[in-house]
Amino acid sequence: MALDRSTRGASDILRLGRSERLSTIERVVVIAIIGGIIALDLFSLIFTPGVDIVRSVVSILTTALLTLFLWSPLVATCALGAAFALSFLVGAEAQVLTTAAVAAALVMRLGRTPLILSYTAGFLVAAAILAYGPTNVPVNVGIYLIFATVAGGVGFALRMAFARGRRLEQQLAASAEQERQAVLAERRWIAGELHDSIAHHLTIVSLHVQMLDDERARQDSQEAIRVAARKAMTDLRFVIDLADDGPRASEVQTGDFAAALTEAREELEAAGHPVILDGDPGDDRIPRSAEIILARVARESSTNILKYAGAGSVDMRLAVTDETAELTINSPLSSAPRHGLSSSRTGLERMAERVLDGSGDFHAGEVDGRWVVAARLPIARRADEQTPPESVRKS
């Protein structure tokens, strides 16, 4: 991918499909060079006897035209062309062509492909006119061509260097953004794992704390609190270990479906909810990927039941076919919600996200006065599939 991106970037550079702008340092250097050339011409005009004043003035003015490249390469190129045409009136063709050869560096540095081609063609025509036209100027046109080629090469090299620098800056910015997104994704992963594992146990603790005043339920509640606290610490250590080892890379997943259903039934029955469990969570047709998702659904559903359900039994039914596995958890609604147990709906969103990532269907809502959570996952796999797809294994 990196090679393809680099090759495509180089191809875009060689097309020269966009105008460039000089950097601040380049502007200073260009102005200094133009000023130096003009200063030398003025010095020669003042202190050299017998110099042609008209030609010297034309040379100085033509050199000054190079400053137009700081504003618009197109305007500067047109101005040079006009100056070359007018130079025949005073016999200053050689001086203008020298300036045009220097300008080749700026044209290659700043111009688009049409301007570069037009300038090259115009320069060759001007050189041919100077060499073979009706002029009395003894000049070796090859020197101008060599000078223009060298100047153009310098301008092109500078253009490539700045373009590579911009592309490197863009790549560094993109890399920094990818790292930032990776950090955010890691934080979201850790937050989700903490919610799925720790929030469940804290709900049990909160529930049984409210039952400590009941003499008959105090001993059982104290034991439930101790167990929940121990499990919370174990899960917390597990999440920390995964974060240290890079969970995204290792793709480590936890979730024993049968154990999750057993744990949910015990916790619900301890809270006074009789549980009707129908189906075989150990069915060999359920792949590991589906077990992980269904285990999380069962655990989060039991957490919500402990928080919000009214008195009555809970039905957990698992229907497995050769194509799908569907878990339905049915619980009574409460007319008086438990106090002190807040809801952010994060649990429902996490369950839906996991099921949908597994290409399944998820529903949670009120049906005939009861709260129903239903998760259906496809389980049919080809014989050559050894691991679940990436979307299912996504945490």
Side-chain angles (χ1 to χ4, degrees):
M1 182 179 296
L3 178 61
D4 177 67
R5 185 179 303 169
S6 176
T7 302
R8 184 169 59 252
S11 177
D12 291 340
I13 291 174
L14 292 175
R15 290 193 188 101
L16 305 180
R18 51 172 288 182
S19 298
E20 298 285 328
R21 295 181 63 87
L22 293 176
S23 65
T24 302
I25 296 178
E26 287 180 306
R27 288 174 176 269
V28 172
V29 171
V30 169
I31 293 174
I33 292 176
I34 294 173
I37 295 175
I38 292 176
L40 289 176
D41 287 342
L42 288 174
F43 183 84
S44 176
L45 177 62
I46 296 173
F47 296 102
T48 301
V51 67
D52 190 327
I53 296 177
V54 175
R55 292 184 178 179
S56 296
V57 171
V58 170
S59 177
I60 292 172
L61 294 177
T62 305
T63 302
L65 289 178
L66 295 178
T67 56
L68 293 176
F69 280 98
L70 303 178
W71 172 52
S72 171
L74 178 60
V75 172
T77 302
C78 294
L80 283 177
F84 182 78
L86 295 175
S87 66
F88 285 95
L89 299 178
V90 295
E93 305 94 331
Q95 288 80 357
V96 176
L97 195 62
T98 301
T99 303
V102 174
L106 294 171
V107 173
M108 289 299 298
R109 172 67 182 90
L110 301 173
R112 301 174 60 183
T113 300
L115 179 62
I116 293 172
L117 294 178
S118 301
Y119 187 87
T120 302
F123 186 86
L124 292 176
V125 170
I129 293 173
L130 191 61
Y132 302 106
T135 61
N136 298 320
V137 181
V139 63
N140 186 351
V141 177
I143 295 177
Y144 293 98
L145 295 176
I146 294 174
F147 191 19
T149 301
V150 173
V154 171
F156 184 75
L158 288 173
R159 185 171 189 151
M160 295 299 99
F162 278 93
R164 291 191 183 95
R166 285 195 303 270
R167 192 169 69 250
L168 179 60
E169 289 179 358
Q170 293 171 356
Q171 291 174 350
L172 291 175
S175 177
E177 178 63 19
Q178 289 177 353
E179 291 181 2
R180 190 181 73 87
Q181 292 297 331
V183 170
L184 292 177
E186 196 75 4
R187 290 176 179 174
R188 287 192 293 268
W189 181 88
I190 293 174
E193 290 298 319
L194 288 175
H195 174 272
D196 289 348
S197 57
I198 308 303
H200 174 77
H201 302 304
L202 293 181
T203 297
I204 296 175
V205 171
S206 299
L207 175 65
H208 284 280
V209 164
Q210 300 177 24
M211 301 171 62
L212 291 177
D213 293 336
D214 188 341
E215 293 289 343
R216 294 171 297 177
R218 178 179 301 171
Q219 185 174 358
D220 292 337
S221 295
Q222 290 174 340
E223 179 62 23
I225 291 173
R226 282 194 295 268
V227 172
R230 185 172 63 252
K231 289 181 178 179
M233 289 300 298
T234 301
D235 287 348
L236 179 60
R237 294 191 191 98
F238 180 74
V239 172
I240 293 174
D241 289 341
L242 284 183
D244 289 340
D245 293 338
R248 288 290 178 185
S250 61
E251 296 290 348
V252 177
Q253 296 287 340
T254 61
D256 188 311
F257 184 31
L261 285 180
T262 300
E263 180 180 347
R265 181 175 60 184
E266 293 175 351
E267 291 169 347
L268 291 173
E269 289 178 345
H273 295 284
V275 176
I276 300 173
L277 182 58
D278 183 22
D280 180 15
D283 195 312
D284 292 337
R285 291 174 295 180
I286 305 177
R288 179 62 176 167
S289 57
E291 281 194 34
I292 294 170
I293 297 174
L294 293 176
R296 292 301 178 91
V297 171
R299 194 174 199 184
E300 183 60 34
S301 296
S302 67
T303 300
N304 291 338
I305 292 171
L306 291 172
K307 284 184 178 181
Y308 312 115
S313 63
V314 176
D315 293 338
M316 294 185 176
R317 301 187 183 276
L318 175 66
V320 181
T321 68
D322 292 336
E323 301 294 331
T324 61
E326 182 173 4
L327 175 64
T328 304
I329 301 177
N330 188 313
S331 59
L333 288 172
S334 174
S335 57
R338 299 182 187 275
H339 297 290
L341 299 177
S342 61
S343 173
S344 63
R345 298 187 63 86
T346 303
L348 286 177
E349 294 173 359
R350 291 279 294 173
M351 283 193 289
E353 178 185 351
R354 288 181 181 278
V355 175
L356 294 177
D357 281 349
S359 301
D361 299 319
F362 179 82
H363 169 79
E366 182 178 351
V367 177
D368 296 332
R370 292 175 68 85
W371 185 261
V372 178
V373 173
R376 183 173 64 229
L377 292 167
I379 61 174
R381 298 187 299 173
R382 299 189 305 269
D384 59 342
E385 284 184 309
Q386 300 298 325
T387 57
E390 193 70 24
S391 61
V392 174
R393 292 189 291 133
K394 178 183 177 182
S395 177

